[in-house]
Amino acid sequence: MERISFKNEAGLTLVGHFYAAPSESIVIMTHGFLSNKSSSGRFDRFALKLQQNGYNVLTYDCGGYGESDDTAIHFEKQVADLQAAKRYGYQIGMKKFAFWGHSLGGRLSLTCYEPDIDTMVLTGPVTGAIAYQHVDNFSKEQVAQCECNGSMVFYVDDPWRSEIVLDKQMLTDFDEMNQAATLENVHCPVLVIHGTEGALEQELAQITKQGAELFPDGTKIIELDGADHGFMEQLDEIETLGLHWLHEHFSVK
């Protein structure tokens, strides 16, 4: 694994981990809300397993997260960050691309689909509008601060930073996702994995089911019994499902 960095369109430096393999196929992993390139260790272990199976892997911190440059986060900035990560892949000679996203990283993956993306693996993805109050325990004081100051601060348990700044635009971003417009733009098979436990994961799964017919042909939606939004007790199963999916839909070249 190599620590790397690249610039987004705003000139901010984004930091990532690159797992090199002898192929021209790369899986780009995008983390969720208030997370980082490790994704609580999920991406570290998945990236190593994919590397062992011949895939190059890039994990990265969106701007304002982890080791990347500071910025107040909102969705469109993170869209630009994933686009920058893909450009980096091209710059280092990659020819085939797949996305792997967790939670909000799943929405980013869907939003950033382009015809050069062969497939996606999404765990607990946000696939439609969800009230921001359901995503995190935003207090009335935090929301008032955000509306007044234009941002709010989250203190996080992160090896690289102590706080993440949320732009008030992010509150609107959660509430206003157009599910139909997003999914109808995706034209590759997608593996969607949800759990059955916890209020947030149950709501996300229901949102996905409501839009199931909008997903492209070849998509598979799986629910793991007993899994909550973190999936920390199901990592072995997700690793197996994801690797099998990639073997079927994303060749190593």
Side-chain angles (χ1 to χ4, degrees):
M1 182 269 288
E2 176 187 3
R3 182 181 181 276
I4 57 89
S5 64
F6 53 92
K7 298 284 188 180
N8 67 9
E9 65 179 9
L12 297 182
T13 297
L14 307 182
V15 176
H17 288 160
F18 180 64
Y19 299 75
S23 75
E24 295 178 332
S25 299
I26 186 169
V27 180
I28 299 177
M29 294 186 158
T30 301
H31 62 76
F33 183 58
L34 304 183
S35 188
N36 56 47
K37 58 183 171 292
S38 175
S39 190
S40 299
R42 301 177 193 88
F43 285 1
D44 298 335
R45 63 167 290 173
F46 295 157
L48 283 171
K49 177 61 72 172
L50 295 179
Q51 180 189 39
Q52 292 166 2
N53 281 268
Y55 298 104
N56 296 278
V57 182
L58 174 63
T59 69
Y60 68 100
D61 296 319
C62 290
Y65 293 89
E67 293 184 273
S68 291
D69 282 351
D70 292 339
T71 189
I73 65 170
H74 64 66
F75 188 72
E76 288 304 317
K77 288 183 181 179
Q78 293 176 242
V79 167
D81 292 342
L82 178 48
Q83 292 169 339
K86 196 174 77 165
R87 287 196 300 272
Y88 176 81
Y90 273 118
Q91 289 166 6
I92 61 174
M94 297 295 107
K95 302 291 179 61
K96 294 177 63 62
F97 291 79
F99 284 162
W100 187 306
H102 178 68
S103 192
L104 187 62
R107 177 181 171 184
L108 286 161
S109 298
L110 293 166
T111 301
C112 291
Y113 171 81
E114 292 180 313
D116 55 359
I117 304 301
D118 286 0
T119 192
M120 303 183 193
V121 176
L122 310 179
T123 57
V126 178
T127 64
I130 181 171
Y132 66 81
Q133 298 98 324
H134 298 184
V135 177
D136 206 290
N137 295 318
F138 297 102
S139 68
K140 291 181 179 179
E141 292 75 16
Q142 283 177 308
V143 173
Q145 176 198 34
C146 196
E147 293 294 344
C148 180
N149 300 335
S151 64
M152 72 170 82
V153 175
F154 283 86
Y155 296 97
V156 292
D157 181 15
D158 186 302
W160 298 292
R161 64 170 56 234
S162 61
E163 61 184 48
I164 291 172
V165 179
L166 181 74
D167 190 297
K168 71 175 183 179
Q169 176 61 41
M170 192 76 223
L171 303 179
T172 302
D173 292 338
F174 281 123
D175 284 343
E176 294 186 351
M177 179 181 178
N178 186 324
Q179 185 182 53
T182 300
L183 296 181
E184 287 173 354
N185 187 53
V186 178
H187 302 290
C188 71
V190 181
L191 174 62
V192 180
I193 303 173
H194 278 295
T196 61
E197 298 299 318
L200 174 58
E201 186 59 25
Q202 290 172 346
E203 182 171 0
L204 291 172
Q206 184 59 34
I207 291 169
T208 293
K209 291 174 186 176
Q210 290 170 355
E213 294 183 356
L214 299 170
F215 280 89
D217 292 343
T219 289
K220 186 173 186 179
I221 299 173
I222 295 174
E223 282 190 286
L224 297 183
D225 190 41
D228 61 19
H229 190 58
F231 297 92
M232 298 307 290
E233 302 300 319
Q234 292 80 25
L235 296 183
D236 287 344
E237 191 168 358
I238 288 174
E239 187 176 271
T240 299
L241 288 168
L243 187 59
H244 180 70
W245 181 266
L246 292 177
H247 281 329
E248 286 189 337
H249 298 280
F250 189 53
S251 64
V252 177
K253 290 186 178 179

